Amino acid sequence: MNRRHCATAAITLVCALALLTSTGQAVAAPVPEPSPSPAASAGGPPLSTADLEKVRDQIDTLYRKAGAATDAYNLAEEQTKKQSGEIVKLARAIVEGQARIAALKDRAGAQAREQYRNGGLPPGAQLALSNDPKLFLDGLNKVRQSQQASTSLLADLTQTQQDLETYTQDASANWEKLETTRVKQAKAKKKINAQIKAAEKLEAQLEEKERDRLRQLERDAADKAQTAWLSSGAVKDVGGEASAGGAAAVAFATAQIGKPYVWGAEGPGSYDCSGLTSQAWLAAKRPIPRTSQEQWRLLPRIDIRDMRPGDLIIYHADASHVGMYVGDGTIVHSPRPGRNVTLAGAGSMKILGVVRPDK
C-alpha cells in the first residue's frame, strides 16, 4: 500500500467535509403532501365537536410522529458532529505522522552519510582495525551507542509507518460512517417536513372560529389528563427540593418561556423539546444527551414519587417528548411547531418515566 497516497487521500476527505459543511446540508426531495381529512375541508358547514376532535387527534398524531423523527434527526446530527471531529483529529495525526517519518528518514540518511565518510566501513569493522587500545575502548562504547540508536531509529520508523496506515484506514472508515449518518439525517428531515406540513395543512383548512375551538379542545384535553393524574395520587408525596444543578436548570428553562418551538433548535431564540432540556442542564454545567430518547435510555431513572425540580419527564411510548419538572405538578416544555415554550401540567400527556441528570 502506498501510505503517502492513502494519507493524502484521508486529508482530502477532511477538505471535502469542510466544503460539504459550508455549502449546507443535503435536503431530501419533497414528498407528496397527504390528502386533507374530509372533516377538515373548508367551505362546508361548521364542524361538529366530534369531527373537530378527530381533526385534533390527527394533528396530534402527526406532530408526535414529527417529534420522533426529530429525535432521529437530532441523534444523527450529534453523530455527524462526533464523526467530523474524529476525522479532523485523524487528519492531524496523519500530518504529524508524515512529518515524523520525514524526520526519521533524515536521521537515517545522516547515519548513512557518516558511514560513507568513514570509508564505507561499519563502526565495528573500523574498531577491529584500530591498534590503539584507548581508542579501541572508546570506540567500543560508541559502537554500542550507535547500534542502540540504529535499532531505536528503525523501530520508531516502523511504528510510525504502521500508525500512519492505521490513521488512514480509520479516517476512511469514519468518512463512510459520516456519509451513512448524513443519509439518516436526510431521511429524518424528509419525514419531519412531511408530517409538519400535513398537520399545518389540516389546521389551515379550518375556519378561524374552528381553530379557536381546536385550541380550546387541546386545553380541555390537557386539563382533563392533568386532573386525572393528580387525582390518582401519583404525586401525593412528591415534594423533593431541587439540587443546586436542578435549580439552575429550572431557572434557565423557565427563562425561555415564550420562545417558539423549532425542530432541531437548541436556542437561543428557539428550541425543540430536548433542545430545551439539554441546554438547560448544560447551563447547569451538567451536559446530557441531546435527544429525549437518548435521555431516557442513558440517564438514571427514578420513581415519580421521588421526583424533584430539574428532573426530566419523558412522554409517550417512543420517548418522543420531554419536559422539565419545575414543582407543583408542573413542567416547562417546548410543545410542538406552532407553539411556544410554556408551563403545562406534568400529567397532561402520557408519561413514560422520569430521569435525573445529576443523580
Side-chain angles (χ1 to χ4, degrees), residues 36-50:
S37 166
S41 298
L47 294 178
S48 67
T49 298

Side-chain angles (χ1 to χ4, degrees), residues 303-327:
D303 191 273
I304 288 179
R305 296 180 186 276
D306 298 324
M307 197 163 51
R308 68 190 187 195
D311 290 342
L312 305 181
I313 303 181
I314 310 297
Y315 293 95
H316 309 309
D318 58 359
S320 58
H321 190 69
V322 60
M324 179 177 292
Y325 186 65
V326 297

Side-chain angles (χ1 to χ4, degrees), residues 123 126-143:
Q126 296 175 34
L127 181 61
L129 295 174
S130 174
N131 294 320
D132 188 327
K134 185 175 184 304
L135 289 176
F136 180 86
L137 292 175
D138 290 342
L140 184 61
N141 186 46
K142 290 180 180 179
V143 166

Side-chain angles (χ1 to χ4, degrees), residues 74-109:
N74 288 337
L75 182 58
E77 181 78 4
E78 288 297 294
Q79 291 172 341
T80 295
K81 291 177 183 176
K82 181 179 178 181
Q83 288 154 2
S84 298
E86 288 173 353
I87 290 175
V88 170
K89 288 180 182 177
L90 287 168
R92 289 173 180 163
I94 289 170
V95 172
E96 291 171 0
Q98 288 176 321
R100 179 163 175 74
I101 286 175
L104 290 171
K105 286 182 177 179
D106 285 345
R107 284 175 54 192

Side-chain angles (χ1 to χ4, degrees), residues 117-344:
R117 284 195 295 269
N118 290 328
L121 294 174
Q126 296 175 34
L127 181 61
L129 295 174
S130 174
N131 294 320
D132 188 327
K134 185 175 184 304
L135 289 176
F136 180 86
L137 292 175
D138 290 342
L140 184 61
N141 186 46
K142 290 180 180 179
V143 166
R144 288 173 180 166
Q145 292 176 351
S146 176
Q147 289 174 338
Q148 290 173 351
S150 297
T151 301
S152 176
L153 176 61
L154 182 60
D156 283 352
L157 184 58
T158 301
Q159 184 61 54
T160 303
Q161 288 174 329
Q162 290 174 349
D163 289 345
L164 187 58
E165 185 170 340
T166 299
Y167 295 150
T168 302
Q169 292 172 348
D170 288 349
S172 297
N174 277 328
W175 177 260
E176 290 177 3
K177 289 179 183 178
L178 183 64
E179 285 303 296
T180 299
T181 302
R182 287 169 66 84
V183 170
K184 290 180 181 178
Q185 281 178 290
K187 287 181 178 179
K189 187 171 185 177
K190 179 179 178 180
K191 287 181 180 179
I192 295 165
N193 285 332
Q195 286 153 353
I196 290 176
K197 277 185 178 181
E200 289 175 342
K201 186 172 183 178
L202 280 174
E203 193 164 356
Q205 289 171 340
L206 300 174
E207 300 292 339
E208 185 175 351
K209 289 182 179 180
E210 290 173 332
R211 285 198 291 271
D212 291 339
R213 287 172 58 204
L214 182 69
R215 291 187 180 91
Q216 186 60 51
L217 287 174
E218 288 178 357
R219 290 191 290 270
D220 290 346
D223 289 345
K224 183 179 178 180
Q226 174 73 355
T227 299
W229 183 65
L230 293 175
S231 299
S232 71
V235 289
K236 180 181 178 181
D237 300 321
V238 173
E241 294 185 3
S243 64
V250 168
F252 179 93
T254 53
Q256 313 312 310
I257 289 175
K259 293 183 179 180
Y261 177 105
V262 173
W263 70 264
E266 299 177 84
S270 57
Y271 297 88
D272 63 19
C273 66
S274 57
L276 177 65
T277 54
S278 60
Q279 287 300 305
W281 272 101
L282 184 61
K285 303 189 187 313
R286 180 63 70 97
I288 65 172
R290 168 64 177 87
T291 71
S292 59
Q293 291 174 347
E294 289 295 281
Q295 289 168 6
W296 174 243
R297 187 174 73 87
L298 298 174
L299 295 178
R301 299 178 186 181
I302 62 168
D303 191 273
I304 288 179
R305 296 180 186 276
D306 298 324
M307 197 163 51
R308 68 190 187 195
D311 290 342
L312 305 181
I313 303 181
I314 310 297
Y315 293 95
H316 309 309
D318 58 359
S320 58
H321 190 69
V322 60
M324 179 177 292
Y325 186 65
V326 297
D328 297 324
T330 303
I331 60 167
V332 58
H333 73 142
S334 186
R336 65 168 177 80
R339 301 291 185 264
N340 298 330
V341 176
T342 188
L343 295 173

